[in-house]
Amino acid sequence: MNTFLHHSENRGHVKMGWLDTKHSFSFGSWYDPKYMGVGSLRVINDDTIAAHNGFGTHPHDNMEILTCVLKGTISHKDSMGNERHINAGEWQLMSAGTGVQHSEINQGDEAVHMLQIWVIPNVRDAEPNYQQIERDPKKSPNEWQLIVGPNDDAPMHIRQNAEIKAAYLEKDHSLDVKATQKFNYVHVIEGEIDIAGQVLKAGDAYLFDEDSTLTAHENSQFIWFDLNS
């Protein structure tokens, strides 16, 4: 069985004034060859952005960039003409394709907490696009919420044979994970869960390739990456 427990304390931690971030995988100034991603999942950055600060205009290409806002509101502006606010409980997917420039700024008076997730696409140099949905798992606890998928009927369409699901599991409740693809990777946002006898706390993640059951030791929120490559 292909399993791996990724402890929160093994993430890279970078603090630079307005940004306090933890990198699950090598990113920017933090590099560790043991942590280069899982299949097509390349980045999970856990960002806390101070008030009236953020990422100025910068470029991306050939990357599927998913933003999950957990607290506050981030303001997005890009070269495709989009100017949007992404609030807590909302998700944004920007398919960079041939190239896009964008900024993400916290215009509010309180810190923003968000995850930024990068998935390598299976199609290169496609036309860039922007998608955004409201999908707060806390409003529908104890069930999986599909966020992105490879098919057109998914809430947001990703250019990769992958599904990303989120859930908020109340204490002592359980959810099944059907390992239908090559990589199954669960990342815990908050709380504490048990999966296949492994206890995961906030910031921990677990890679596995067999059907399993998640049980919450306390109210918990997490993301499941179901990846074919």
Side-chain angles (χ1 to χ4, degrees), residues 22 69 71 106 109 112 143 175 181 185 210 213 226:
K22 295 178 180 177
V69 178
K71 178 183 177 183
N106 175 9
D109 296 327
V112 166
E143 61 182 51
L175 278 174
Q181 300 204 77
Y185 189 76
E210 293 184 355
T213 300
D226 189 8

Side-chain angles (χ1 to χ4, degrees), residues 111-132:
V112 166
H113 183 200
M114 70 182 199
L115 299 182
Q116 189 169 104
I117 297 158
W118 293 13
V119 176
I120 300 168
N122 57 12
V123 177
R124 290 186 60 83
D125 297 328
E127 183 180 354
N129 70 46
Y130 179 98
Q131 303 166 73
Q132 184 174 334

Side-chain angles (χ1 to χ4, degrees), residues 65-212:
I65 301 172
L66 179 66
T67 298
C68 165
V69 178
L70 301 166
K71 178 183 177 183
T73 299
I74 200 78
S75 297
H76 168 98
K77 185 175 182 179
D78 64 45
S79 55
M80 293 179 282
N82 298 298
E83 289 192 47
R84 303 286 294 273
H85 299 300
I86 311 162
N87 302 307
E90 294 183 333
W91 303 70
Q92 172 218 70
L93 179 61
M94 187 176 69
S95 297
T98 53
V100 65
Q101 302 239 0
H102 79 123
S103 62
E104 307 284 346
I105 306 295
N106 175 9
Q107 297 178 341
D109 296 327
E110 303 292 336
V112 166
H113 183 200
M114 70 182 199
L115 299 182
Q116 189 169 104
I117 297 158
W118 293 13
V119 176
I120 300 168
N122 57 12
V123 177
R124 290 186 60 83
D125 297 328
E127 183 180 354
N129 70 46
Y130 179 98
Q131 303 166 73
Q132 184 174 334
I133 61 170
E134 192 279 330
R135 190 62 55 97
D136 186 350
K138 291 183 177 180
K139 294 181 178 179
S140 300
N142 307 318
E143 61 182 51
W144 289 113
Q145 300 285 322
L146 180 62
I147 306 301
V148 304
N151 302 317
D152 290 337
D153 59 353
M156 294 192 294
H157 177 264
I158 192 169
R159 292 168 174 155
Q160 182 55 266
N161 189 4
E163 288 188 343
I164 300 175
K165 301 175 183 178
Y168 182 78
L169 198 57
E170 296 173 325
K171 182 180 179 180
D172 297 329
H173 286 71
S174 297
L175 278 174
D176 290 332
V177 176
K178 299 296 183 183
T180 59
Q181 300 204 77
K182 185 175 181 180
F183 300 105
N184 290 271
Y185 189 76
V186 170
H187 175 89
V188 179
I189 296 171
E190 62 174 298
E192 180 179 297
I193 65 172
D194 180 287
I195 178 169
Q198 300 283 354
V199 176
L200 279 67
K201 299 182 180 181
D204 292 344
Y206 189 59
L207 172 68
F208 56 100
D209 60 5
E210 293 184 355
D211 292 354
S212 193

